[in-house]
């Protein structure tokens, strides 16, 4: 399954939401969710977690270009290729990170778009950043089973812009992609955003500095009596939980919703590129 997280106007919290979604996705013996940074403008995870020199999208692109790892694509549920070129982040999340600069990242994202079958061996949460028409990111978006479009809910212009791109969302839906919206910090009701854009709001992403810091690998202390009590309470019940953080709890609900979506009605091998 390919889950694309992206924006059509800026990138309001795309990487943060994609990271949170991959981090809380249910992991099983045959399911290891992998976060793939495929933002042609450059990735953030390498800088967040000081991963210079580690395997990532560059080594993956070189491998699939040469065809040396494509045999692993046939192993269902193993994510063989991605795990080989991924890095385990604190907390156990596996991530394939992109170069930080656009001139490096754009080339390797284009290479991935030409060998996108490597994303199909398991659950891939793909951070596409801002998607532009005719780009490798637009091609990857057209191949997704699920597309989550993020908008800054406090910015009426972004919501209006997404509504004006309704033909893009419709083309994806007609091609078999499940399409939903994630609204960050909305001052507008979800029902209103859905009515304007024509697509359901799957997540209302809260402002959560502690959760964002956790995903960036930064040390933090829960702030405020309510947050401290929630952290203490959850730690007593389950030391491993992160759901006391509103951002991670939101991502968990989104993951459960996406996992419960019905299968795409269009055969995966017959999807056409959508001109995002």
């Amino acid at each position: 399954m390919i889950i694309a997280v992206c924006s059509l106007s800026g990138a309001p919290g795309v990487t943060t939401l994609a990271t949170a979604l991959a981090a809380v996705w249910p992991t099983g013996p045959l399911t290891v969710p992998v976060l793939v940074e495929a933002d042609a403008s450059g990735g953030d995870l390498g800088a967040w977690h000081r991963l210079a020199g580690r395997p990532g999208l560059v080594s993956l692109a070189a491998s699939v270009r040469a065809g040396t790892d494509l045999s692993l694509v046939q192993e269902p549920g193993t994510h063989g290729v991605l795990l080989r070129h991924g890095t385990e982040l604190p907390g156990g999340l596996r991530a394939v990170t992109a170069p930080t600069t656009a001139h490096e990242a754009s080339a390797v994202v284009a290479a991935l778009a030409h060998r996108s079958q490597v994303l199909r061996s398991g659950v891939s949460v793909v951070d596409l950043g801002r998607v532009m028409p005719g780009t490798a990111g637009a091609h990857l978006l057209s191949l997704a089973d699920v597309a989550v479009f993020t908008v800054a809910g406090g910015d009426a212009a972004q919501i209006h812009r997404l509504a004006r791109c309704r033909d893009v969302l419709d083309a994806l839906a007609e091609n078999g992609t499940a399409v939903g919206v994630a609204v960050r910090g909305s001052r507008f009701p979800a029902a209103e955003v859905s009515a304007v854009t024509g697509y359901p709001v799957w997540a209302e992403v809260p402002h959560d500095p502690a959760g964002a810091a956790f995903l960036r690998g930064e040390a933090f202390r829960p702030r405020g009596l309510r947050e401290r009590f929630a952290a203490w309470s959850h730690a007593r019940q389950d030391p491993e939980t992160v759901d006391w953080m509103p951002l991670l709890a939101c991502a968990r609900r989104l993951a459960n919703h996406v996992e419960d979506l019905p299968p795409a009605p269009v055969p995966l091998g017959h999807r056409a590129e959508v001109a995002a």
Side-chain angles (χ1 to χ4, degrees):
M1 176 188 287
I2 300 176
I3 304 162
V5 184
C6 64
S7 168
L8 296 180
S9 175
V14 171
T15 299
T16 299
L17 180 60
T19 304
L21 185 59
V24 301
W25 192 273
T27 301
L30 296 178
T31 305
V32 180
V34 178
L35 174 63
V36 180
E37 272 193 309
D39 185 346
S41 66
D44 295 324
L45 288 171
W48 287 356
H49 296 279
R50 301 173 180 84
L51 300 176
R54 301 286 187 90
L57 202 60
V58 171
S59 63
L60 174 64
S63 173
V64 297
R65 223 184 256 126
T68 55
D69 276 346
L70 289 182
S71 61
L72 295 176
V73 176
Q74 305 306 318
E75 301 177 23
T78 63
H79 260 322
V81 180
L82 296 182
L83 291 178
R84 177 175 294 210
H85 297 279
T87 298
E88 185 171 341
L89 303 181
L93 172 62
R94 301 297 187 93
V96 179
T97 60
T100 57
T101 60
H103 71 275
E104 295 176 296
S106 58
V108 291
V109 171
L112 177 64
H114 285 93
R115 296 288 189 276
S116 57
Q117 65 265 42
V118 302
L119 301 174
R120 291 229 172 266
S121 55
V123 176
S124 300
V125 179
V126 185
D127 169 12
L128 294 175
R130 181 180 182 180
V131 175
M132 301 291 288
T135 62
H139 179 68
L140 288 170
L141 176 61
S142 73
L143 300 174
D145 300 285
V146 178
V148 182
F149 290 88
T150 70
V151 294
D155 186 349
Q158 283 204 14
I159 298 173
H160 177 70
R161 195 169 290 118
L162 183 63
R164 291 295 300 270
C165 293
R166 174 73 180 269
D167 57 335
V168 175
L169 278 63
D170 288 348
L172 286 167
E174 290 168 6
N175 224 18
T177 300
V179 177
V181 179
V183 183
R184 180 174 60 87
S186 179
R187 73 171 190 258
F188 304 105
E192 184 177 341
V193 175
S194 180
V196 170
T197 62
Y199 280 85
V201 173
W202 285 346
E204 295 180 75
V205 184
H207 176 65
D208 179 14
F214 172 79
L215 294 172
R216 292 193 298 267
E218 299 174 4
F220 67 92
R221 297 175 66 85
R223 298 182 183 277
L225 180 61
R226 181 177 178 180
E227 289 80 7
R228 289 178 185 275
F229 178 79
W232 173 81
S233 175
H234 280 289
R236 285 189 60 194
Q237 296 170 20
D238 180 1
E240 300 301 319
T241 188
V242 293
D243 284 11
W244 68 268
M245 290 178 272
L247 175 59
L248 277 297
C250 173
R252 179 90 66 188
R253 292 191 295 271
L254 178 58
N256 290 337
H257 177 78
V258 169
E259 192 178 31
D260 290 340
L261 290 171
V266 176
L268 298 178
H270 291 79
R271 293 193 170 170
E273 181 176 354
V274 175

